[in-house]
Amino acid sequence: MENRIRQVRKKRGVSQEKLATSLGITRQAISQYEMGNRQPRLETWQKLADFLGVTVPYLQGLEPDLYTIAPETKKTIISKLSAFYFDKDVSKSMRFIDPIERVKDAVNEYARLAELTPLPNELKRKSQKEKNDYLNKYFSFLFEDSMIIVMSNEYLYSQTNDVTKSYEDRFANRLAKSIENYSIQEFETKLGKYFGEIYNSKLQNAFKTFQRNISFCKSVEDISKQFDKFSDFLNTTKNGLNKAVLEKEITDIVSDLMRKDDNLGRSIAEIILNGQKLNKSYSRYDRIKMVNDYLVKNKKEVPKEISAYLEKYSNK
């Protein structure tokens, strides 16, 4: 096993010279410690640990390296994810059911966005090995999450493996958050990000108000009125989408529209065209032509990129 002093020093990007100077000892002494030819004094162990930001037992190799992802660490991550998603009885080890539902929602969302085949919920009758192989194949990005690695190693190195219910809740929530964040990282579009920045806080505040108002309703009629009020807000917000697009920098719209991304281009065209549904039979040329016609009709300036594109492909 690699000497912990050397291992941590390298991770921190600290040279032997810098470490020695900071501790007031010689570089040769550091070299001797790292080769195992000489043991530091107790006070030197503490100085080393304090400077490198770890405990003395960890530096001495008496505590596990929780940040190292070993094969068993990966197996633990996948087995816990599989249990949270597939095991109906796993809720018995949890304090709350919400973290499990959050994991399932996150997994399903990623599978939908990534267009995985088969979908994870179609594997319920498969063997445990098949389920784990599937999750290992498509959710290996979880191995890059340092917090998940630490939590998995804590579970592995627990002497009793008597994991508390709060640990299970925290682990499930962290898995869900990591998958949610990865989905955003991989699949968020410029258009989606733009509208998110405009409407997310408004939608969240409106929903919180709706939830709070429901708490004070004295009759079914009162509850119905709150639903109507919230529904009106959503419809008003939806109707404002077209206006918001046209207020966006037209160069950004064109940049997105001209990308080789059928789904994104179709989404932009649909919003600009007041929600008119465009199926896959519409070519990129068709969509850009429709947007061009819309801008002309509404006396909006047509970007040169659109004019150049239509002129180039009009006779093809």
Side-chain angles (χ1 to χ4, degrees):
M1 183 178 72
E2 184 180 4
N3 179 278
R4 282 280 175 85
I5 298 175
R6 181 190 295 114
Q7 184 184 67
V8 179
R9 176 179 63 77
K10 288 182 176 179
K11 281 186 177 180
R12 299 289 188 271
V14 179
S15 66
Q16 286 186 340
E17 290 81 0
K18 182 176 181 180
L19 181 58
T21 300
S22 299
L23 271 58
I25 58 180
T26 65
R27 187 196 65 78
Q28 288 76 10
I30 297 294
S31 178
Q32 290 293 306
Y33 297 156
E34 292 186 353
M35 289 189 293
N37 296 333
R38 177 179 168 189
Q39 289 294 313
R41 294 180 178 180
L42 183 58
E43 59 268 26
T44 305
W45 273 120
Q46 192 61 59
K47 288 180 180 179
L48 284 164
D50 290 343
F51 182 85
L52 295 172
V54 294
T55 65
V56 171
Y58 176 82
L59 208 54
Q60 293 174 330
L62 302 177
E63 289 182 354
D65 183 357
L66 297 179
Y67 289 92
T68 295
I69 183 159
E72 284 302 313
T73 311
K74 294 182 179 181
K75 288 182 182 178
T76 300
I77 293 171
I78 294 302
S79 66
K80 298 301 287 184
L81 178 61
S82 180
F84 291 138
Y85 188 86
F86 293 109
D87 191 348
K88 294 180 180 179
D89 296 325
V90 73
S91 59
K92 295 177 181 178
S93 65
M94 312 282 284
R95 288 192 306 170
F96 307 107
I97 194 67
D98 290 351
I100 297 177
E101 295 305 316
R102 185 180 176 190
V103 169
K104 291 179 179 178
D105 288 344
V107 168
N108 289 334
E109 177 186 64
Y110 176 77
R112 175 178 57 80
L113 292 169
E115 299 181 345
L116 301 186
T117 304
L119 293 172
N121 58 15
E122 297 172 353
L123 302 175
K124 293 178 180 178
R125 296 185 179 181
K126 297 292 185 179
S127 69
Q128 190 59 56
K129 182 181 184 306
E130 288 175 301
K131 292 174 182 175
N132 287 357
D133 287 346
Y134 177 93
L135 294 175
N136 190 71
K137 178 179 180 180
Y138 292 117
F139 292 84
S140 59
F141 56 82
L142 292 171
F143 303 153
E144 304 298 321
D145 188 319
S146 60
M147 187 175 292
I148 288 178
I149 293 171
V150 169
M151 295 183 77
S152 299
N153 285 331
E154 285 177 342
Y155 177 84
L156 280 171
Y157 294 123
S158 173
Q159 291 183 354
T160 62
N161 273 347
D162 183 18
V163 180
T164 64
K165 291 184 177 181
S166 63
Y167 170 88
E168 296 283 0
D169 290 337
R170 289 187 292 109
F171 199 7
N173 275 320
R174 183 63 203 183
L175 284 171
K177 183 176 181 180
S178 188
I179 297 170
E180 291 164 354
N181 289 343
Y182 191 77
S183 294
I184 286 290
Q185 174 187 319
E186 291 296 304
F187 303 109
E188 182 181 49
T189 65
K190 290 182 180 179
L191 183 66
K193 183 178 181 180
Y194 174 73
F195 283 108
E197 291 172 350
I198 295 176
Y199 291 110
N200 273 353
S201 60
K202 293 180 181 178
L203 289 169
Q204 289 174 7
N205 291 335
F207 185 67
K208 287 179 181 178
T209 300
F210 166 71
Q211 284 182 307
R212 184 169 178 80
N213 288 344
I214 288 290
S215 301
F216 303 113
C217 290
K218 297 180 180 179
S219 66
V220 175
E221 290 182 356
D222 289 342
I223 294 177
S224 180
K225 288 179 181 178
Q226 291 301 324
F227 271 97
D228 289 340
K229 186 175 180 179
F230 186 59
S231 180
D232 289 342
F233 167 79
L234 292 177
N235 286 328
T236 300
T237 302
K238 177 182 176 182
N239 293 334
L241 287 178
N242 188 61
K243 179 181 178 182
V245 168
L246 294 179
E247 289 176 351
K248 184 184 179 186
E249 289 293 329
I250 195 68
T251 53
D252 289 343
I253 295 177
V254 172
S255 174
D256 288 344
L257 184 62
M258 304 297 279
R259 283 177 56 192
K260 293 184 177 180
D261 184 331
D262 288 344
N263 292 327
L264 181 59
R266 188 161 59 250
S267 297
I268 294 172
E270 286 174 1
I271 292 176
I272 290 180
L273 299 171
N274 289 307
Q276 179 182 343
K277 276 291 180 183
L278 306 180
N279 57 44
K280 292 184 178 180
S281 65
Y282 285 91
S283 66
R284 183 173 289 107
Y285 179 87
D286 293 332
R287 292 196 298 273
I288 294 177
K289 178 67 165 58
M290 293 171 77
V291 171
N292 175 81
D293 294 345
Y294 175 86
L295 294 174
V296 171
K297 179 180 178 181
N298 289 273
K299 298 181 179 179
K300 302 287 183 180
E301 181 179 355
V302 177
K304 61 182 180 181
E305 292 89 344
I306 287 183
S307 299
Y309 180 93
L310 294 177
E311 182 178 350
K312 179 178 180 180
Y313 294 101
S314 60
N315 295 322
K316 294 184 179 182

